[in-house]
Amino acid sequence: MVYDAIVVGLGAVGSAALYQLSKQTSHVLGIDRFKPPHPFGSTHSDSRITRQAIGEGAYFVPLALRSYEIWRELEQRTNQQLLTITGGLFVGKEHSRIQTHNKPGWLTTTIEAAKQFGIAHQLLDVPTLRKRFPQFQFLDGDLGYYEENAGFLRPEQCLSAQLTQAHQNGAIIHPYEQMLSFEQTGPEIRVQTDEAVYQTRKLILTTGPWITESLRTTPYRELLKVYRQVQYWFDIQGDYPTYTPDRMPVFILSDRDLYGFPAIGGADGGIKIATEQYSEITTPNDVVRTVSQAEIEQMYEQYVAPNFVGVGPECVKSTVCLYTMTPNGDFIIDQHPDYANVLLTSACSGHGFKHSAAVGQILAELALQGKTNFDIQAFRLQSFSGLIN
Ligand SMILES: Cc1cc2nc3c(=O)[nH]c(=O)nc-3n(C[C@H](O)[C@H](O)[C@H](O)COP(=O)(O)OP(=O)(O)OC[C@H]3O[C@@H](n4cnc5c(N)ncnc54)[C@H](O)[C@@H]3O)c2cc1C
């Protein structure tokens, strides 16, 4: 049998691609080296921020908006809540050039994108911020951008919902199967795994932080860097209802390198607060997956204590997760440089989850129709060609 498409890697992007493919054909196979959702890649740990005015570039906005529609469609089909609107509070200094996800001027771009796309928002000065959001410590000169329809997604449930739907549509799913290699054989691609050999018209690689394995010897391999990131849940010492999703929004304090969520795990679940680091490169095989007490203490002293009110030093939970970064924070969605029938994706750069449902649609369209109406020019490998040797 020859598949219409095989998707390798069923994380956020691969599960979305398989779901979208399965709406058009049942001759699709998805394989993953683990059983998704799992905690070894980039798609785990309860929550992901979603927002519509995208400070990483206004050209991401159509992806975010289409993804909102797909999450709602999935909620209807599976009768579960995937997207919770809490509002989003994004704070920085006006005209700051500090980078977020490798993008300078993130807050300014966010505000401009909101105006361009008519996304409901409010700009808040410091007295208003202090009155409305007593959970935070604001600094003189802060500017607040509040987006009404921002909120959080549940990554594990989003992934599972898409795999369940794909399966119901006839897609075949093989967990615990690892792709070892692929090669062009005539018009088809031959995929070798640790279990079997398959033939397919199109191969879609959505292997997240493992993607460099598939870029083999191409110079593009050097573009992508994997970073260990830690997420922490600190205990709530203040009045618990103040920190619940109906009172506290998701937040990004861009100049202070901080983001997080309201308390979504009950009074004892803490609130998730995280920063980002881009100094130590790792791989999914080598990364240290435990979080030390010293890391927790440093996180509390440097980031939590100075920026929040009523959040205690006890860390009730922590997880390690992986960012796969391109040099400019954009994604890669393109044909493999050496194989016309292989699509290659790296849609992370620390902000990919919110767009993943639409990226899945783009990949399905590229695989089955050979084109998409989404503008993906910025995500072509060619746009990075000036950055490789
Ligand atoms: C700490 C953290 C916080 C984040 N916060 C946000 C946020 O708030 N908002 C947001 O929008 N985004 C956020 N992101 C980014 C978002 O989570 C990622 O963009 C997204 O999860 C990437 O998914 P993926 O499918 O590319 O990778 P993954 O989910 O890692 O999936 C890759 C899959 O490929 C499989 N695989 C790899 N190699 C093979 C092989 N050879 N054979 C078979 N299977 C293979 C793996 O097992 C894995 O399941 C965050 C990421 C992290 C790490």
Side-chain angles (χ1 to χ4, degrees), residues 35-113:
K35 187 169 191 303
H38 62 75
F40 307 115
S42 304
T43 308
H44 58 278
S45 64
D46 306 346
S47 51
R48 290 289 184 268
I49 292 176
T50 188
R51 45 194 158 88
Q52 298 186 333
I54 304 297
E56 288 82 354
Y59 44 91
F60 283 99
V61 174
L63 302 187
L65 295 178
R66 176 62 187 135
S67 295
Y68 266 68
E69 291 173 355
I70 297 172
W71 306 128
R72 292 306 191 203
E73 163 194 303
L74 281 162
E75 284 180 332
Q76 286 206 334
R77 290 193 180 183
T78 61
N79 202 20
Q80 60 179 325
Q81 189 173 17
L82 303 174
L83 165 61
T84 305
I85 301 298
T86 58
L89 178 63
F90 309 132
V91 179
K93 297 275 180 267
E94 198 169 7
H95 308 306
S96 166
R97 301 299 294 165
I98 290 178
Q99 295 203 354
T100 298
H101 301 141
N102 287 356
K103 298 283 187 183
W106 181 88
L107 189 62
T108 306
T109 310
T110 298
I111 295 167
E112 284 167 1

Side-chain angles (χ1 to χ4, degrees), residues 6 30 38 61 97 130 174 201 219 271 296 300 329 337 364 368 384:
I6 294 180
H38 62 75
V61 174
R97 301 299 294 165
R130 289 186 176 137
H174 289 180
R201 292 185 182 86
I271 66 167
I296 292 169
Y300 183 78
L368 300 180
F384 297 96

Side-chain angles (χ1 to χ4, degrees), residues 49 89 91 133-139 142 232-238 242-243 248-254 256-263 270-275 299-313:
I49 292 176
L89 178 63
V91 179
F133 302 107
Q135 308 92 340
F136 301 89
Q137 299 189 40
F138 296 104
L139 303 175
D142 275 345
Y232 304 84
W233 286 253
F234 285 96
D235 69 313
I236 298 163
Q237 294 187 338
T242 315
Y243 301 85
M248 183 173 180
V250 296
F251 57 88
I252 299 176
L253 309 183
S254 54
R256 282 170 261 176
D257 248 343
L258 264 179
Y259 68 93
F261 302 79
I271 66 167
K272 180 159 100 169
I273 302 174
T275 183
M299 178 70 191
Y300 183 78
E301 279 156 30
Q302 196 175 335
Y303 291 99
V304 180
N307 291 303
F308 297 89
V309 175
V311 181

Side-chain angles (χ1 to χ4, degrees), residues 46-228:
D46 306 346
S47 51
R48 290 289 184 268
I49 292 176
T50 188
R51 45 194 158 88
Q52 298 186 333
I54 304 297
E56 288 82 354
Y59 44 91
F60 283 99
V61 174
L63 302 187
L65 295 178
R66 176 62 187 135
S67 295
Y68 266 68
E69 291 173 355
I70 297 172
W71 306 128
R72 292 306 191 203
E73 163 194 303
L74 281 162
E75 284 180 332
Q76 286 206 334
R77 290 193 180 183
T78 61
N79 202 20
Q80 60 179 325
Q81 189 173 17
L82 303 174
L83 165 61
T84 305
I85 301 298
T86 58
L89 178 63
F90 309 132
V91 179
K93 297 275 180 267
E94 198 169 7
H95 308 306
S96 166
R97 301 299 294 165
I98 290 178
Q99 295 203 354
T100 298
H101 301 141
N102 287 356
K103 298 283 187 183
W106 181 88
L107 189 62
T108 306
T109 310
T110 298
I111 295 167
E112 284 167 1
K115 288 180 184 156
Q116 187 186 337
F117 285 88
I119 292 162
H121 70 280
Q122 299 151 23
L123 297 182
L124 307 175
D125 60 13
V126 173
T128 312
L129 286 169
R130 289 186 176 137
K131 200 165 158 208
R132 272 182 67 177
F133 302 107
Q135 308 92 340
F136 301 89
Q137 299 189 40
F138 296 104
L139 303 175
D140 290 342
D142 275 345
L143 171 69
Y145 164 93
Y146 181 78
E147 189 176 294
E148 287 160 28
N149 283 321
F152 67 89
L153 292 155
R154 298 193 177 264
E156 289 90 347
Q157 286 91 327
C158 290
L159 187 161
S160 298
Q162 290 175 103
L163 291 186
T164 305
Q165 290 299 303
H167 177 66
Q168 284 178 8
N169 291 343
I172 299 168
I173 298 173
H174 289 180
Y176 298 120
E177 184 167 340
Q178 183 179 344
M179 182 186 75
L180 301 177
S181 63
F182 58 86
E183 60 177 337
Q184 186 87 35
T185 51
E188 289 150 16
I189 299 287
R190 180 179 180 275
V191 178
Q192 170 82 58
T193 74
D194 55 2
E195 297 281 336
V197 173
Y198 306 101
Q199 294 289 128
T200 182
R201 292 185 182 86
K202 295 283 175 182
L203 172 62
I204 301 180
L205 299 175
T206 47
T207 50
W210 287 266
I211 195 75
T212 52
E213 290 176 3
S214 309
L215 280 165
R216 300 179 183 175
T217 54
T218 71
Y220 293 102
R221 189 186 172 110
E222 302 305 321
L223 283 178
L224 295 161
K225 305 265 183 283
V226 176
Y227 297 93
R228 173 181 181 269

Side-chain angles (χ1 to χ4, degrees), residues 344-358:
L344 186 79
T345 316
S346 183
C348 181
S349 288
H351 62 108
F353 193 84
K354 71 184 70 56
H355 305 296
S356 58

Side-chain angles (χ1 to χ4, degrees), residues 354-367:
K354 71 184 70 56
H355 305 296
S356 58
V359 173
Q361 179 178 332
I362 291 169
L363 288 167
E365 290 169 352
L366 291 174

